[in-house]
PDB file of all heavy atoms in Angstrom:
ATOM      1  N   THR A   1       0.837  -1.157  -0.046  1.00 77.00           N
ATOM      2  CA  THR A   1       0.019   0.027   0.068  1.00 77.00           C
ATOM      3  C   THR A   1       0.922   1.263  -0.026  1.00 77.00           C
ATOM      4  O   THR A   1       0.390   2.418  -0.430  1.00 77.00           O
ATOM      5  CB  THR A   1      -0.862   0.145   1.224  1.00 77.00           C
ATOM      6  OG1 THR A   1      -0.183  -0.084   2.321  1.00 77.00           O
ATOM      7  CG2 THR A   1      -1.944  -1.139   1.156  1.00 77.00           C
ATOM      8  N   ASN A   2       2.146   1.133   0.509  1.00 73.00           N
ATOM      9  CA  ASN A   2       3.101   2.225   0.467  1.00 73.00           C
ATOM     10  C   ASN A   2       4.388   1.867   0.038  1.00 73.00           C
ATOM     11  O   ASN A   2       4.585   0.555  -0.287  1.00 73.00           O
ATOM     12  CB  ASN A   2       3.098   2.874   1.860  1.00 73.00           C
ATOM     13  CG  ASN A   2       1.874   3.659   2.237  1.00 73.00           C
ATOM     14  OD1 ASN A   2       1.549   4.497   1.617  1.00 73.00           O
ATOM     15  ND2 ASN A   2       1.296   3.212   3.378  1.00 73.00           N
ATOM     16  N   ALA A   3       5.335   2.767  -0.162  1.00 62.00           N
ATOM     17  CA  ALA A   3       6.671   2.408  -0.629  1.00 62.00           C
ATOM     18  C   ALA A   3       7.371   1.483   0.340  1.00 62.00           C
ATOM     19  O   ALA A   3       7.056   1.452   1.604  1.00 62.00           O
ATOM     20  CB  ALA A   3       7.482   3.619  -0.675  1.00 62.00           C
ATOM     21  N   LEU A   4       8.080   0.416  -0.096  1.00 66.00           N
ATOM     22  CA  LEU A   4       8.758  -0.538   0.647  1.00 66.00           C
ATOM     23  C   LEU A   4       9.894   0.056   1.449  1.00 66.00           C
ATOM     24  O   LEU A   4      10.727   0.622   0.826  1.00 66.00           O
ATOM     25  CB  LEU A   4       9.182  -1.591  -0.196  1.00 66.00           C
ATOM     26  CG  LEU A   4       9.698  -2.913   0.483  1.00 66.00           C
ATOM     27  CD1 LEU A   4       8.636  -3.587   1.368  1.00 66.00           C
ATOM     28  CD2 LEU A   4      10.302  -3.868  -0.563  1.00 66.00           C
ATOM     29  N   SER A   5       9.927   0.065   2.810  1.00 73.00           N
ATOM     30  CA  SER A   5      10.797   0.711   3.592  1.00 73.00           C
ATOM     31  C   SER A   5      11.798  -0.368   4.200  1.00 73.00           C
ATOM     32  O   SER A   5      11.822  -0.576   5.332  1.00 73.00           O
ATOM     33  CB  SER A   5      10.248   1.540   4.718  1.00 73.00           C
ATOM     34  OG  SER A   5       9.583   2.507   4.190  1.00 73.00           O
ATOM     35  N   LEU A   6      12.445  -1.079   3.266  1.00 76.00           N
ATOM     36  CA  LEU A   6      13.418  -2.048   3.831  1.00 76.00           C
ATOM     37  C   LEU A   6      14.804  -1.812   3.132  1.00 76.00           C
ATOM     38  O   LEU A   6      14.917  -1.314   2.015  1.00 76.00           O
ATOM     39  CB  LEU A   6      13.023  -3.483   3.177  1.00 76.00           C
ATOM     40  CG  LEU A   6      11.804  -4.152   3.887  1.00 76.00           C
ATOM     41  CD1 LEU A   6      11.576  -5.449   3.161  1.00 76.00           C
ATOM     42  CD2 LEU A   6      12.215  -4.405   5.308  1.00 76.00           C
ATOM     43  N   THR A   7      15.829  -1.865   4.025  1.00 79.00           N
ATOM     44  CA  THR A   7      17.169  -1.676   3.514  1.00 79.00           C
ATOM     45  C   THR A   7      17.938  -3.000   3.422  1.00 79.00           C
ATOM     46  O   THR A   7      19.030  -3.015   2.813  1.00 79.00           O
ATOM     47  CB  THR A   7      17.969  -0.688   4.486  1.00 79.00           C
ATOM     48  OG1 THR A   7      17.895  -1.468   5.776  1.00 79.00           O
ATOM     49  CG2 THR A   7      17.241   0.589   4.582  1.00 79.00           C
ATOM     50  N   ASN A   8      17.374  -4.037   3.866  1.00 86.00           N
ATOM     51  CA  ASN A   8      18.125  -5.423   3.865  1.00 86.00           C
ATOM     52  C   ASN A   8      16.968  -6.453   3.720  1.00 86.00           C
ATOM     53  O   ASN A   8      16.321  -6.861   4.721  1.00 86.00           O
ATOM     54  CB  ASN A   8      18.874  -5.671   5.115  1.00 86.00           C
ATOM     55  CG  ASN A   8      19.646  -6.946   4.989  1.00 86.00           C
ATOM     56  OD1 ASN A   8      19.350  -7.921   5.815  1.00 86.00           O
ATOM     57  ND2 ASN A   8      20.613  -7.063   4.093  1.00 86.00           N
ATOM     58  N   PHE A   9      16.767  -6.834   2.458  1.00 92.00           N
ATOM     59  CA  PHE A   9      15.789  -7.929   2.228  1.00 92.00           C
ATOM     60  C   PHE A   9      16.163  -8.716   1.064  1.00 92.00           C
ATOM     61  O   PHE A   9      16.949  -8.380   0.329  1.00 92.00           O
ATOM     62  CB  PHE A   9      14.381  -7.348   2.084  1.00 92.00           C
ATOM     63  CG  PHE A   9      14.189  -6.608   0.717  1.00 92.00           C
ATOM     64  CD1 PHE A   9      13.753  -7.491  -0.312  1.00 92.00           C
ATOM     65  CD2 PHE A   9      14.554  -5.333   0.479  1.00 92.00           C
ATOM     66  CE1 PHE A   9      13.569  -6.844  -1.623  1.00 92.00           C
ATOM     67  CE2 PHE A   9      14.424  -4.771  -0.806  1.00 92.00           C
ATOM     68  CZ  PHE A   9      13.966  -5.541  -1.834  1.00 92.00           C
ATOM     69  N   VAL A  10      15.615  -9.995   1.013  1.00 95.00           N
ATOM     70  CA  VAL A  10      15.886 -10.843  -0.109  1.00 95.00           C
ATOM     71  C   VAL A  10      14.509 -11.557  -0.526  1.00 95.00           C
ATOM     72  O   VAL A  10      13.660 -11.885   0.354  1.00 95.00           O
ATOM     73  CB  VAL A  10      16.962 -11.924   0.226  1.00 95.00           C
ATOM     74  CG1 VAL A  10      16.557 -12.767   1.250  1.00 95.00           C
ATOM     75  CG2 VAL A  10      17.433 -12.578  -1.080  1.00 95.00           C
ATOM     76  N   VAL A  11      14.335 -11.877  -1.783  1.00 96.00           N
ATOM     77  CA  VAL A  11      13.295 -12.795  -2.394  1.00 96.00           C
ATOM     78  C   VAL A  11      13.956 -13.770  -3.028  1.00 96.00           C
ATOM     79  O   VAL A  11      14.782 -13.547  -3.977  1.00 96.00           O
ATOM     80  CB  VAL A  11      12.411 -11.961  -3.246  1.00 96.00           C
ATOM     81  CG1 VAL A  11      11.392 -12.907  -3.853  1.00 96.00           C
ATOM     82  CG2 VAL A  11      11.569 -10.844  -2.484  1.00 96.00           C
ATOM     83  N   GLY A  12      13.651 -15.031  -2.703  1.00 96.00           N
ATOM     84  CA  GLY A  12      14.414 -16.167  -3.413  1.00 96.00           C
ATOM     85  C   GLY A  12      13.942 -17.452  -2.858  1.00 96.00           C
ATOM     86  O   GLY A  12      12.936 -17.614  -2.019  1.00 96.00           O
ATOM     87  N   ALA A  13      14.710 -18.521  -3.078  1.00 96.00           N
ATOM     88  CA  ALA A  13      14.480 -19.941  -2.579  1.00 96.00           C
ATOM     89  C   ALA A  13      15.809 -20.688  -2.591  1.00 96.00           C
ATOM     90  O   ALA A  13      16.678 -20.371  -3.378  1.00 96.00           O
ATOM     91  CB  ALA A  13      13.452 -20.600  -3.472  1.00 96.00           C
ATOM     92  N   GLN A  14      15.831 -21.758  -1.687  1.00 95.00           N
ATOM     93  CA  GLN A  14      17.105 -22.413  -1.544  1.00 95.00           C
ATOM     94  C   GLN A  14      16.739 -23.868  -1.254  1.00 95.00           C
ATOM     95  O   GLN A  14      15.800 -24.120  -0.415  1.00 95.00           O
ATOM     96  CB  GLN A  14      17.890 -21.775  -0.442  1.00 95.00           C
ATOM     97  CG  GLN A  14      19.187 -22.514  -0.067  1.00 95.00           C
ATOM     98  CD  GLN A  14      20.054 -21.779   0.925  1.00 95.00           C
ATOM     99  OE1 GLN A  14      20.529 -20.625   0.400  1.00 95.00           O
ATOM    100  NE2 GLN A  14      20.329 -22.279   2.030  1.00 95.00           N
ATOM    101  N   HIS A  15      17.467 -24.824  -1.829  1.00 93.00           N
ATOM    102  CA  HIS A  15      17.322 -26.177  -1.521  1.00 93.00           C
ATOM    103  C   HIS A  15      18.426 -26.965  -1.856  1.00 93.00           C
ATOM    104  O   HIS A  15      19.064 -26.730  -2.965  1.00 93.00           O
ATOM    105  CB  HIS A  15      15.950 -26.806  -2.309  1.00 93.00           C
ATOM    106  CG  HIS A  15      15.911 -28.267  -2.264  1.00 93.00           C
ATOM    107  ND1 HIS A  15      15.605 -28.966  -1.025  1.00 93.00           N
ATOM    108  CD2 HIS A  15      15.875 -29.224  -3.220  1.00 93.00           C
ATOM    109  CE1 HIS A  15      15.487 -30.225  -1.297  1.00 93.00           C
ATOM    110  NE2 HIS A  15      15.710 -30.352  -2.658  1.00 93.00           N
ATOM    111  N   ASN A  16      18.840 -27.903  -0.982  1.00 88.00           N
ATOM    112  CA  ASN A  16      19.899 -28.923  -1.247  1.00 88.00           C
ATOM    113  C   ASN A  16      21.223 -28.215  -1.716  1.00 88.00           C
ATOM    114  O   ASN A  16      21.896 -28.750  -2.591  1.00 88.00           O
ATOM    115  CB  ASN A  16      19.429 -29.950  -2.461  1.00 88.00           C
ATOM    116  CG  ASN A  16      20.200 -31.221  -2.394  1.00 88.00           C
ATOM    117  OD1 ASN A  16      20.843 -31.545  -1.319  1.00 88.00           O
ATOM    118  ND2 ASN A  16      20.361 -31.783  -3.538  1.00 88.00           N
ATOM    119  N   GLY A  17      21.580 -27.114  -1.042  1.00 86.00           N
ATOM    120  CA  GLY A  17      22.768 -26.489  -1.242  1.00 86.00           C
ATOM    121  C   GLY A  17      22.830 -25.496  -2.430  1.00 86.00           C
ATOM    122  O   GLY A  17      23.777 -24.769  -2.761  1.00 86.00           O
ATOM    123  N   GLY A  18      21.688 -25.421  -3.235  1.00 88.00           N
ATOM    124  CA  GLY A  18      21.524 -24.466  -4.312  1.00 88.00           C
ATOM    125  C   GLY A  18      20.445 -23.544  -4.093  1.00 88.00           C
ATOM    126  O   GLY A  18      19.691 -23.611  -3.121  1.00 88.00           O
ATOM    127  N   GLY A  19      20.479 -22.409  -4.763  1.00 90.00           N
ATOM    128  CA  GLY A  19      19.414 -21.418  -4.583  1.00 90.00           C
ATOM    129  C   GLY A  19      19.382 -20.410  -5.702  1.00 90.00           C
ATOM    130  O   GLY A  19      20.217 -20.393  -6.603  1.00 90.00           O
ATOM    131  N   GLU A  20      18.262 -19.569  -5.621  1.00 92.00           N
ATOM    132  CA  GLU A  20      18.114 -18.627  -6.659  1.00 92.00           C
ATOM    133  C   GLU A  20      17.539 -17.426  -5.980  1.00 92.00           C
ATOM    134  O   GLU A  20      16.654 -17.406  -5.252  1.00 92.00           O
ATOM    135  CB  GLU A  20      17.084 -19.149  -7.761  1.00 92.00           C
ATOM    136  CG  GLU A  20      16.843 -18.032  -8.898  1.00 92.00           C
ATOM    137  CD  GLU A  20      16.014 -18.556 -10.009  1.00 92.00           C
ATOM    138  OE1 GLU A  20      15.628 -19.797  -9.943  1.00 92.00           O
ATOM    139  OE2 GLU A  20      15.681 -17.706 -10.938  1.00 92.00           O
ATOM    140  N   THR A  21      18.044 -16.264  -6.351  1.00 95.00           N
ATOM    141  CA  THR A  21      17.620 -14.934  -5.793  1.00 95.00           C
ATOM    142  C   THR A  21      16.970 -14.089  -6.857  1.00 95.00           C
ATOM    143  O   THR A  21      17.479 -13.762  -7.895  1.00 95.00           O
ATOM    144  CB  THR A  21      18.788 -14.247  -5.206  1.00 95.00           C
ATOM    145  OG1 THR A  21      19.554 -15.021  -4.291  1.00 95.00           O
ATOM    146  CG2 THR A  21      18.414 -12.803  -4.597  1.00 95.00           C
ATOM    147  N   TYR A  22      15.772 -13.724  -6.646  1.00 96.00           N
ATOM    148  CA  TYR A  22      14.953 -12.865  -7.521  1.00 96.00           C
ATOM    149  C   TYR A  22      15.268 -11.350  -7.208  1.00 96.00           C
ATOM    150  O   TYR A  22      15.535 -10.657  -8.097  1.00 96.00           O
ATOM    151  CB  TYR A  22      13.496 -13.034  -7.411  1.00 96.00           C
ATOM    152  CG  TYR A  22      12.718 -12.081  -8.126  1.00 96.00           C
ATOM    153  CD1 TYR A  22      12.564 -12.141  -9.555  1.00 96.00           C
ATOM    154  CD2 TYR A  22      12.030 -10.959  -7.469  1.00 96.00           C
ATOM    155  CE1 TYR A  22      11.877 -11.282 -10.254  1.00 96.00           C
ATOM    156  CE2 TYR A  22      11.285 -10.020  -8.225  1.00 96.00           C
ATOM    157  CZ  TYR A  22      11.303 -10.183  -9.616  1.00 96.00           C
ATOM    158  OH  TYR A  22      10.589  -9.222 -10.375  1.00 96.00           O
ATOM    159  N   ALA A  23      15.348 -10.920  -5.898  1.00 95.00           N
ATOM    160  CA  ALA A  23      15.715  -9.542  -5.620  1.00 95.00           C
ATOM    161  C   ALA A  23      16.440  -9.540  -4.363  1.00 95.00           C
ATOM    162  O   ALA A  23      16.105 -10.097  -3.339  1.00 95.00           O
ATOM    163  CB  ALA A  23      14.456  -8.703  -5.527  1.00 95.00           C
ATOM    164  N   LEU A  24      17.453  -8.732  -4.310  1.00 94.00           N
ATOM    165  CA  LEU A  24      18.302  -8.545  -3.101  1.00 94.00           C
ATOM    166  C   LEU A  24      18.362  -6.951  -2.915  1.00 94.00           C
ATOM    167  O   LEU A  24      19.205  -6.310  -3.634  1.00 94.00           O
ATOM    168  CB  LEU A  24      19.619  -9.171  -3.162  1.00 94.00           C
ATOM    169  CG  LEU A  24      20.589  -8.944  -1.926  1.00 94.00           C
ATOM    170  CD1 LEU A  24      20.020  -9.621  -0.756  1.00 94.00           C
ATOM    171  CD2 LEU A  24      22.004  -9.541  -2.274  1.00 94.00           C
ATOM    172  N   ASN A  25      17.617  -6.368  -1.978  1.00 91.00           N
ATOM    173  CA  ASN A  25      17.704  -4.974  -1.719  1.00 91.00           C
ATOM    174  C   ASN A  25      17.259  -4.174  -2.897  1.00 91.00           C
ATOM    175  O   ASN A  25      17.720  -3.013  -3.026  1.00 91.00           O
ATOM    176  CB  ASN A  25      19.033  -4.588  -1.180  1.00 91.00           C
ATOM    177  CG  ASN A  25      19.411  -5.291   0.106  1.00 91.00           C
ATOM    178  OD1 ASN A  25      18.573  -5.744   0.862  1.00 91.00           O
ATOM    179  ND2 ASN A  25      20.705  -5.484   0.330  1.00 91.00           N
ATOM    180  N   ASP A  26      16.482  -4.725  -3.877  1.00 90.00           N
ATOM    181  CA  ASP A  26      16.225  -3.958  -5.063  1.00 90.00           C
ATOM    182  C   ASP A  26      14.720  -3.752  -5.131  1.00 90.00           C
ATOM    183  O   ASP A  26      13.893  -4.613  -5.539  1.00 90.00           O
ATOM    184  CB  ASP A  26      16.601  -4.621  -6.304  1.00 90.00           C
ATOM    185  CG  ASP A  26      16.317  -3.897  -7.611  1.00 90.00           C
ATOM    186  OD1 ASP A  26      15.801  -2.791  -7.481  1.00 90.00           O
ATOM    187  OD2 ASP A  26      16.784  -4.410  -8.636  1.00 90.00           O
ATOM    188  N   THR A  27      14.241  -2.618  -4.502  1.00 85.00           N
ATOM    189  CA  THR A  27      12.856  -2.359  -4.397  1.00 85.00           C
ATOM    190  C   THR A  27      12.151  -2.204  -5.661  1.00 85.00           C
ATOM    191  O   THR A  27      10.989  -2.335  -5.873  1.00 85.00           O
ATOM    192  CB  THR A  27      12.565  -1.170  -3.470  1.00 85.00           C
ATOM    193  OG1 THR A  27      13.238  -0.026  -4.050  1.00 85.00           O
ATOM    194  CG2 THR A  27      13.058  -1.326  -2.050  1.00 85.00           C
ATOM    195  N   ASN A  28      12.791  -1.907  -6.751  1.00 87.00           N
ATOM    196  CA  ASN A  28      12.266  -1.663  -8.060  1.00 87.00           C
ATOM    197  C   ASN A  28      11.734  -3.029  -8.694  1.00 87.00           C
ATOM    198  O   ASN A  28      10.859  -2.936  -9.502  1.00 87.00           O
ATOM    199  CB  ASN A  28      13.261  -1.107  -9.038  1.00 87.00           C
ATOM    200  CG  ASN A  28      13.683   0.322  -8.702  1.00 87.00           C
ATOM    201  OD1 ASN A  28      12.848   1.027  -8.259  1.00 87.00           O
ATOM    202  ND2 ASN A  28      15.027   0.640  -9.006  1.00 87.00           N
ATOM    203  N   LYS A  29      12.169  -4.117  -8.221  1.00 90.00           N
ATOM    204  CA  LYS A  29      11.636  -5.476  -8.554  1.00 90.00           C
ATOM    205  C   LYS A  29      10.461  -5.895  -7.901  1.00 90.00           C
ATOM    206  O   LYS A  29       9.761  -6.817  -8.395  1.00 90.00           O
ATOM    207  CB  LYS A  29      12.748  -6.459  -8.413  1.00 90.00           C
ATOM    208  CG  LYS A  29      13.922  -6.484  -9.567  1.00 90.00           C
ATOM    209  CD  LYS A  29      14.857  -7.588  -9.417  1.00 90.00           C
ATOM    210  CE  LYS A  29      15.776  -7.664 -10.639  1.00 90.00           C
ATOM    211  NZ  LYS A  29      16.438  -8.855 -10.601  1.00 90.00           N
ATOM    212  N   LEU A  30      10.021  -5.113  -6.820  1.00 89.00           N
ATOM    213  CA  LEU A  30       8.897  -5.583  -6.052  1.00 89.00           C
ATOM    214  C   LEU A  30       7.738  -4.582  -6.301  1.00 89.00           C
ATOM    215  O   LEU A  30       7.862  -3.467  -5.764  1.00 89.00           O
ATOM    216  CB  LEU A  30       9.226  -5.713  -4.602  1.00 89.00           C
ATOM    217  CG  LEU A  30      10.267  -6.831  -4.177  1.00 89.00           C
ATOM    218  CD1 LEU A  30      10.458  -6.793  -2.702  1.00 89.00           C
ATOM    219  CD2 LEU A  30       9.821  -8.110  -4.760  1.00 89.00           C
ATOM    220  N   ALA A  31       6.891  -4.987  -7.111  1.00 89.00           N
ATOM    221  CA  ALA A  31       5.685  -4.062  -7.400  1.00 89.00           C
ATOM    222  C   ALA A  31       4.439  -4.499  -6.864  1.00 89.00           C
ATOM    223  O   ALA A  31       4.272  -5.807  -6.553  1.00 89.00           O
ATOM    224  CB  ALA A  31       5.584  -3.908  -8.890  1.00 89.00           C
ATOM    225  N   ASN A  32       3.524  -3.587  -6.534  1.00 91.00           N
ATOM    226  CA  ASN A  32       2.171  -3.924  -6.059  1.00 91.00           C
ATOM    227  C   ASN A  32       1.484  -4.755  -7.162  1.00 91.00           C
ATOM    228  O   ASN A  32       1.410  -4.600  -8.259  1.00 91.00           O
ATOM    229  CB  ASN A  32       1.491  -2.620  -5.846  1.00 91.00           C
ATOM    230  CG  ASN A  32       0.147  -3.040  -5.195  1.00 91.00           C
ATOM    231  OD1 ASN A  32       0.085  -3.823  -4.256  1.00 91.00           O
ATOM    232  ND2 ASN A  32      -1.037  -2.449  -5.648  1.00 91.00           N
ATOM    233  N   GLY A  33       1.058  -6.034  -6.671  1.00 94.00           N
ATOM    234  CA  GLY A  33       0.325  -7.050  -7.569  1.00 94.00           C
ATOM    235  C   GLY A  33       1.316  -7.927  -8.247  1.00 94.00           C
ATOM    236  O   GLY A  33       0.809  -8.751  -9.076  1.00 94.00           O
ATOM    237  N   LEU A  34       2.501  -7.892  -7.928  1.00 94.00           N
ATOM    238  CA  LEU A  34       3.538  -8.752  -8.603  1.00 94.00           C
ATOM    239  C   LEU A  34       3.180 -10.230  -8.160  1.00 94.00           C
ATOM    240  O   LEU A  34       2.871 -10.492  -7.017  1.00 94.00           O
ATOM    241  CB  LEU A  34       4.896  -8.404  -8.129  1.00 94.00           C
ATOM    242  CG  LEU A  34       6.089  -9.243  -8.587  1.00 94.00           C
ATOM    243  CD1 LEU A  34       6.219  -9.214 -10.106  1.00 94.00           C
ATOM    244  CD2 LEU A  34       7.328  -8.948  -7.954  1.00 94.00           C
ATOM    245  N   GLU A  35       3.354 -11.147  -9.126  1.00 96.00           N
ATOM    246  CA  GLU A  35       3.171 -12.583  -8.852  1.00 96.00           C
ATOM    247  C   GLU A  35       4.328 -13.281  -9.488  1.00 96.00           C
ATOM    248  O   GLU A  35       4.627 -13.244 -10.698  1.00 96.00           O
ATOM    249  CB  GLU A  35       1.870 -13.104  -9.363  1.00 96.00           C
ATOM    250  CG  GLU A  35       1.548 -14.527  -9.179  1.00 96.00           C
ATOM    251  CD  GLU A  35       0.318 -14.950  -9.554  1.00 96.00           C
ATOM    252  OE1 GLU A  35      -0.753 -14.831  -8.860  1.00 96.00           O
ATOM    253  OE2 GLU A  35       0.130 -15.567 -10.661  1.00 96.00           O
ATOM    254  N   LEU A  36       5.118 -14.012  -8.645  1.00 96.00           N
ATOM    255  CA  LEU A  36       6.267 -14.842  -9.050  1.00 96.00           C
ATOM    256  C   LEU A  36       5.948 -16.202  -9.079  1.00 96.00           C
ATOM    257  O   LEU A  36       5.516 -16.838  -7.975  1.00 96.00           O
ATOM    258  CB  LEU A  36       7.433 -14.527  -8.101  1.00 96.00           C
ATOM    259  CG  LEU A  36       8.040 -13.086  -8.020  1.00 96.00           C
ATOM    260  CD1 LEU A  36       9.120 -13.006  -7.088  1.00 96.00           C
ATOM    261  CD2 LEU A  36       8.510 -12.640  -9.471  1.00 96.00           C
ATOM    262  N   ARG A  37       6.082 -16.881 -10.178  1.00 94.00           N
ATOM    263  CA  ARG A  37       5.792 -18.323 -10.262  1.00 94.00           C
ATOM    264  C   ARG A  37       7.111 -19.198 -10.382  1.00 94.00           C
ATOM    265  O   ARG A  37       7.852 -18.961 -11.178  1.00 94.00           O
ATOM    266  CB  ARG A  37       4.921 -18.585 -11.503  1.00 94.00           C
ATOM    267  CG  ARG A  37       3.420 -18.018 -11.305  1.00 94.00           C
ATOM    268  CD  ARG A  37       2.557 -18.498 -12.556  1.00 94.00           C
ATOM    269  NE  ARG A  37       1.271 -18.060 -12.234  1.00 94.00           N
ATOM    270  CZ  ARG A  37       0.345 -18.818 -11.597  1.00 94.00           C
ATOM    271  NH1 ARG A  37       0.681 -19.960 -11.166  1.00 94.00           N
ATOM    272  NH2 ARG A  37      -0.912 -18.432 -11.381  1.00 94.00           N
ATOM    273  N   TRP A  38       7.251 -20.113  -9.413  1.00 93.00           N
ATOM    274  CA  TRP A  38       8.388 -20.914  -9.350  1.00 93.00           C
ATOM    275  C   TRP A  38       8.163 -22.332  -9.638  1.00 93.00           C
ATOM    276  O   TRP A  38       7.204 -22.914  -9.175  1.00 93.00           O
ATOM    277  CB  TRP A  38       9.112 -20.779  -8.045  1.00 93.00           C
ATOM    278  CG  TRP A  38       9.381 -19.347  -7.516  1.00 93.00           C
ATOM    279  CD1 TRP A  38       8.475 -18.368  -7.178  1.00 93.00           C
ATOM    280  CD2 TRP A  38      10.632 -18.819  -7.347  1.00 93.00           C
ATOM    281  NE1 TRP A  38       9.167 -17.309  -6.814  1.00 93.00           N
ATOM    282  CE2 TRP A  38      10.496 -17.606  -6.784  1.00 93.00           C
ATOM    283  CE3 TRP A  38      12.105 -19.342  -7.382  1.00 93.00           C
ATOM    284  CZ2 TRP A  38      11.602 -16.769  -6.440  1.00 93.00           C
ATOM    285  CZ3 TRP A  38      13.026 -18.445  -7.130  1.00 93.00           C
ATOM    286  CH2 TRP A  38      12.843 -17.140  -6.585  1.00 93.00           C
ATOM    287  N   ARG A  39       9.091 -22.974 -10.397  1.00 86.00           N
ATOM    288  CA  ARG A  39       8.921 -24.449 -10.664  1.00 86.00           C
ATOM    289  C   ARG A  39       9.445 -25.229  -9.420  1.00 86.00           C
ATOM    290  O   ARG A  39      10.340 -24.779  -8.646  1.00 86.00           O
ATOM    291  CB  ARG A  39       9.802 -24.804 -11.902  1.00 86.00           C
ATOM    292  CG  ARG A  39       9.072 -24.526 -13.201  1.00 86.00           C
ATOM    293  CD  ARG A  39       7.878 -25.479 -13.443  1.00 86.00           C
ATOM    294  NE  ARG A  39       7.354 -25.256 -14.717  1.00 86.00           N
ATOM    295  CZ  ARG A  39       6.211 -25.858 -15.098  1.00 86.00           C
ATOM    296  NH1 ARG A  39       5.633 -26.793 -14.323  1.00 86.00           N
ATOM    297  NH2 ARG A  39       5.690 -25.604 -16.254  1.00 86.00           N
ATOM    298  N   ALA A  40       9.017 -26.484  -9.290  1.00 87.00           N
ATOM    299  CA  ALA A  40       9.443 -27.287  -8.225  1.00 87.00           C
ATOM    300  C   ALA A  40      10.986 -27.537  -8.270  1.00 87.00           C
ATOM    301  O   ALA A  40      11.580 -27.539  -9.399  1.00 87.00           O
ATOM    302  CB  ALA A  40       8.705 -28.732  -8.298  1.00 87.00           C
ATOM    303  N   PHE A  41      11.497 -27.696  -7.037  1.00 83.00           N
ATOM    304  CA  PHE A  41      12.959 -27.911  -7.016  1.00 83.00           C
ATOM    305  C   PHE A  41      13.328 -29.301  -7.692  1.00 83.00           C
ATOM    306  O   PHE A  41      12.541 -30.263  -7.415  1.00 83.00           O
ATOM    307  CB  PHE A  41      13.488 -28.002  -5.547  1.00 83.00           C
ATOM    308  CG  PHE A  41      13.416 -26.735  -4.874  1.00 83.00           C
ATOM    309  CD1 PHE A  41      12.538 -26.411  -3.828  1.00 83.00           C
ATOM    310  CD2 PHE A  41      14.261 -25.789  -5.125  1.00 83.00           C
ATOM    311  CE1 PHE A  41      12.478 -25.318  -3.135  1.00 83.00           C
ATOM    312  CE2 PHE A  41      14.331 -24.438  -4.505  1.00 83.00           C
ATOM    313  CZ  PHE A  41      13.327 -24.254  -3.483  1.00 83.00           C
ATOM    314  N   GLY A  42      14.424 -29.289  -8.434  1.00 70.00           N
ATOM    315  CA  GLY A  42      14.729 -30.672  -9.006  1.00 70.00           C
ATOM    316  C   GLY A  42      15.939 -30.496  -9.908  1.00 70.00           C
ATOM    317  O   GLY A  42      16.163 -29.303 -10.345  1.00 70.00           O
TER     318      GLY A  42
END
């Protein structure tokens, strides 16, 4: 509803020693109504 007031945050997933980061401290990537679809780990 308002601007994101975070200075240290991450969006991602991790499994079995591997991982993927969608956003790390980048508020431009997080928009109102955003939907991220992730495939199963494998």
Side-chain angles (χ1 to χ4, degrees):
T1 56
N2 290 300
L4 189 63
S5 298
L6 284 177
T7 56
N8 181 249
F9 75 92
V10 66
V11 172
Q14 177 170 298
H15 171 60
N16 200 26
E20 182 176 357
T21 301
Y22 172 76
L24 180 64
N25 301 330
D26 186 355
T27 55
N28 291 328
K29 284 193 173 184
L30 296 183
N32 187 47
L34 177 68
E35 181 173 279
L36 298 175
R37 293 185 170 270
W38 302 71
R39 281 288 183 184
F41 291 112

